[in-house]
Amino acid sequence: MAGFLDQIEPLKQAALAELRAAPDLAALELARVNHLGSNGKFTALMKQLGTLSKRREACRGKAINSAKVELEAALAQRRGELELKAALPQEPTDFTLPGRRRVVGKLHPLTQVTEDIVRSFRKIGFVVADGPEVEDEYHCFDALNTPADHPARDMQDTFYLQHPASSLQHPVSGSPPSTLLRTHTSSSRFE
């Protein structure tokens, strides 16, 4: 009886030392499995109880259970310490740094809708073309082989702009180019 009880205290002390010395949660779990797991040292002692008489089994079972309760309390305490250590920031926080400013304002709802539509079309393979809003007549019509009598060139369909006399010349006619608001996107350049 004394030999079996003498095994419990050294095992308990070794397990307590291993649990308290665990540097991280993985090492703590390994120590728990070694001592309290299904193939652990204390589980092996519990299995030996079945070979003893009822009177001896009760006395020794009580000693093993009190040691297990003590080990489980030490395990819970060390797990709490290691979880707290893991939750702490790795680098110290500098509270003297300036704070983050809140973004003031937001996009106009029409801009948000436009961006959503553009994003949706880009997902299905379309490309956004961007070009100047004001274009000369050559790049808007002549370079695209639009005939001079085409309805898009009429004054009621196109907004022509007045500009002071410039030194620029129309590439085909040689006269000063007419400036107009872009009538279509064909003269735009792709992004």
Side-chain angles (χ1 to χ4, degrees):
M1 178 174 178
F4 188 84
L5 290 175
D6 290 341
Q7 292 178 5
I8 296 173
E9 189 60 30
L11 274 176
K12 180 180 86 170
Q13 292 304 323
L16 283 173
E18 192 174 339
L19 290 173
R20 290 180 182 141
D24 55 13
L25 289 170
L28 184 68
E29 181 61 20
L30 184 63
R32 184 197 67 79
V33 169
N34 285 341
H35 296 286
L36 300 172
S38 59
N39 293 325
K41 296 174 184 174
F42 275 91
T43 308
L45 283 178
M46 291 293 274
K47 290 177 183 175
Q48 289 178 11
L49 289 177
T51 61
L52 303 174
S53 66
K54 294 286 183 194
R55 187 175 57 98
R56 288 183 177 176
E57 183 179 343
C59 177
R60 292 175 185 157
K62 194 175 194 181
I64 291 174
N65 282 335
S66 68
K68 277 181 74 172
V69 166
E70 192 175 337
L71 287 177
E72 287 171 355
L75 175 70
Q77 178 186 356
R78 185 63 181 159
R79 180 174 287 134
E81 291 170 0
L82 291 174
E83 287 174 350
L84 179 64
K85 182 181 174 185
L88 292 175
Q90 300 300 320
E91 296 178 15
T93 304
D94 185 2
F95 293 104
T96 61
L97 290 174
R100 295 186 196 110
R101 295 186 185 266
R102 288 183 177 214
V103 178
V104 179
K106 57 184 178 179
L107 293 175
H108 190 277
L110 292 178
T111 306
Q112 291 176 5
V113 169
T114 302
E115 287 180 358
D116 287 344
I117 292 170
V118 167
R119 195 176 309 115
S120 298
F121 276 106
R122 280 188 173 168
K123 283 181 183 177
I124 58 175
F126 284 85
V127 179
V128 174
D130 192 21
E133 297 295 324
V134 176
E135 190 68 87
D136 61 29
E137 192 173 10
Y138 173 77
H139 287 100
C140 196
F141 295 122
D142 296 334
L144 299 171
N145 295 325
T146 306
D149 60 345
H150 193 276
R153 290 186 174 216
D154 290 341
M155 290 299 267
Q156 64 268 20
D157 291 332
T158 302
F159 294 103
Y160 287 90
L161 304 173
Q162 298 287 334
H163 62 83
S166 80
S167 61
L168 296 175
Q169 300 264 325
H170 189 281
V172 176
S173 67
S175 62
S178 297
T179 328
L180 51 108
L181 295 180
R182 187 178 66 206
T183 59
H184 45 79
T185 59
S186 300
S187 60
S188 300
R189 294 146 216 53
F190 292 102
E191 289 180 1

